[in-house]
Amino acid sequence: MAPINTVSQVFDAIRAVKSAAPAFCTNFFPIERKVQAWIDHGELAGDLRDGTALFFRKDRDFWHLYFCAASPGTLERELISVKSLKTERMVVDLVGNEAALSELLVLLKQAGFRRYSQLQRMARSPESGLPPASTGDAVVTNAEPADREAIVDLLDSSFDRYADQLPARHEIEAAIAGRQMLAIKCGEVLAAVLFFETQGLTSTIRYWAVAESFRSRRFGATLMRGYLQAHAAVRRFILWVVATNENAVQKYQHYGYAPDGLVDHVLANQLIP
Amino acid sequence: MKSLPEILKEIRPEFDFTTSNNFMEDGMLDSFDMVTLVSTLDKTYDISIQGTDIVPENFQNLQTIEALLRKCGVQL
């Protein structure tokens, strides 16, 4: 694994693998500005092999593994000799339905990964309408740079870092600067956040969390209404949620979200408890 | 045979693809939709879109997708 220093290293490696690929397979759909941010913060490493490009993104105390391979067989052959799979905590995501991914799931298991979690995508159309206004006095604001550490703490304590692709500090800073982090505060204390990304006509909720000591005060509902109200022009709302988290799934269903069939299989290596 | 706008409409019924010049920037298609679209185009037109062609630039709008289909031998 060696540091990646330029975006073109990533895209050139992918192109090289694709150009000689009888059955190209990948779990990597890079967006240039995100790759650049990972590089800027020294989070991205790579291992470019014969017919396979492996990328590793550092996240807290573990790595996300992304692969591009000329074929599943090539990937299987190369993964066996990747030493970091046995020495570093590693997570890999595969998006798609079980049947289409069966071959990759088997070979990743052979490489030492096990099923860790499963996320499902949920989508909502604007026809679902706005939820009723909350009766409380909570005020939705945009989070400020000074809220960063409180947001990190809230997200880290509310979600599973291995499954939920939690944002790095620089992503939180960028979201705050881009006014994509709604917050409710009680005095100076952060009570709840809703982190979203909007691209054109589609908006994605990345995280929605209420601090434990502020629950049952309808802060979550107030944030959700504020978010939906501010996105009247959006035609498609999506999010990813842990499929077994019935409480969260039911909450999203309440706001008109429904599973759209896309599933993210999260696999972890043996070093992750 | 279904037209390209009809195929796109089946994948993302909430959008009018005839009004956009950049499906990705306008949030009408994401990378997962692109995979679905490639598979649907392969089946519909009995072609095999090469991995090197599965890049966002080829799926920006109706014209770029049609150019890709022509490159794959489809007569539109």
Side-chain angles (χ1 to χ4, degrees), chain A residues 15 18-21 24 29-30 95 121 123-126 199-202 235-236 238 240 260 262, chain B residues 12 14-15 24-36 50-57:
Chain A
R15 252 191 304 275
K18 276 182 175 176
S19 67
F24 183 72
F29 304 98
V95 176
R121 193 168 72 176
R124 174 190 187 277
S125 81
Q199 175 78 37
L201 298 170
T202 295
R235 303 301 303 158
R236 182 178 179 228
I238 56 174
W240 289 90
D260 73 355
L262 201 58
Chain B
R12 295 266 59 95
E14 59 272 59
F15 299 129
M24 306 286 171
E25 257 182 29
D26 291 342
M28 298 165 83
L29 284 184
D30 60 26
S31 49
F32 304 121
D33 297 325
M34 217 164 84
V35 173
T36 306
Q50 297 300 302
T52 45
D53 288 327
I54 306 173
V55 289
E57 301 87 270

Side-chain angles (χ1 to χ4, degrees), chain A residues 201-269:
Chain A
L201 298 170
T202 295
S203 186
T204 306
I205 291 182
R206 289 199 57 193
Y207 307 96
W208 178 40
V210 180
E212 202 164 346
S213 53
F214 293 99
R215 289 188 188 153
S216 305
R217 293 170 63 171
R218 302 202 51 78
F219 286 175
T222 303
L223 269 182
M224 181 62 87
R225 190 173 203 282
Y227 162 70
L228 294 173
Q229 199 167 22
H231 287 83
V234 163
R235 303 301 303 158
R236 182 178 179 228
F237 294 91
I238 56 174
L239 57 85
W240 289 90
V241 60
V242 173
T244 53
N245 186 346
E246 288 175 20
N247 183 36
V249 170
Q250 280 174 9
K251 277 198 174 84
Y252 287 123
Q253 284 173 332
H254 172 74
Y255 290 106
Y257 286 86
D260 73 355
L262 201 58
V263 173
D264 177 5
H265 305 265
V266 185
L267 290 87
N269 71 356

Side-chain angles (χ1 to χ4, degrees), chain A residues 177-198:
Chain A
R179 300 166 74 84
Q180 296 193 321
M181 187 79 74
L182 299 177
I184 291 177
K185 293 193 219 175
C186 288
E188 291 301 307
V189 181
L190 183 78
V193 292
L194 191 152
F195 177 0
F196 63 92
E197 286 179 352
T198 300

Side-chain angles (χ1 to χ4, degrees), chain B residues 2-29:
Chain B
K2 287 174 194 158
S3 69
L4 185 53
E6 285 171 336
I7 291 170
L8 287 162
K9 194 83 183 164
E10 279 186 6
I11 294 171
R12 295 266 59 95
E14 59 272 59
F15 299 129
D16 179 359
F17 287 91
T18 61
T19 61
S20 171
N21 201 35
N22 194 325
F23 299 154
M24 306 286 171
E25 257 182 29
D26 291 342
M28 298 165 83
L29 284 184

Side-chain angles (χ1 to χ4, degrees), chain A residues 25 48 77 88-89 121 134 140 148 180 186 220 264 270:
Chain A
C25 59
L48 311 180
R77 184 191 69 209
E88 303 283 341
R89 291 184 175 194
R121 193 168 72 176
S134 289
V140 177
R148 187 192 70 177
Q180 296 193 321
C186 288
D264 177 5
Q270 304 302 327

